[in-house]
Amino acid sequence: MTTIDLYGRDGCHLCADARAQLLALQAELGFTLVEHDIEADDDLHRRYLERIPVVVLDGEHLFDFFVDEAVLRDRLGTVGDG
């Protein structure tokens, strides 16, 4: 199963927007969404604070600040094909 990791924090409106967009696409595109609160881990906080939300597809960094739905659809359509 394809996994999308969303790195963010409470109170971040861009994170909430990304979460809502990913949840809306999840059933259609068939991925597992794993959310990570960067404030719960000092290392994540240092790495991602200035870039959240950060979206990672199966370990590969895809987006900072927003979700590009067209790119995500394209990537999920080709996952496992190459």
Side-chain angles (χ1 to χ4, degrees), residues 8-9 15 20-21 23 26 30 33 38 40 46 49-50 52 66:
R9 65 177 179 84
C15 300
Q21 189 174 7
L23 288 172
Q26 187 175 24
L33 179 61
I38 66 164
R46 276 191 300 277
L49 178 62
E50 300 297 323
I52 58 173
F66 66 93

Side-chain angles (χ1 to χ4, degrees), residues 20-82:
Q21 189 174 7
L22 290 168
L23 288 172
L25 293 168
Q26 187 175 24
E28 175 190 347
L29 300 178
F31 57 84
T32 299
L33 179 61
V34 179
E35 296 185 56
H36 304 273
D37 179 357
I38 66 164
E39 292 185 332
D41 180 292
D42 289 340
D43 184 50
L44 291 178
H45 192 262
R46 276 191 300 277
R47 279 194 286 167
Y48 295 129
L49 178 62
E50 300 297 323
R51 300 170 33 192
I52 58 173
V54 173
V55 178
V56 176
L57 172 63
D58 287 338
E60 179 185 354
H61 175 264
L62 284 187
F63 311 117
D64 293 338
F65 307 117
F66 66 93
V67 175
D68 185 325
E69 185 174 331
V71 170
L72 183 61
R73 286 179 180 279
D74 181 60
R75 291 302 307 272
L76 289 173
T78 61
V79 169
D81 291 347

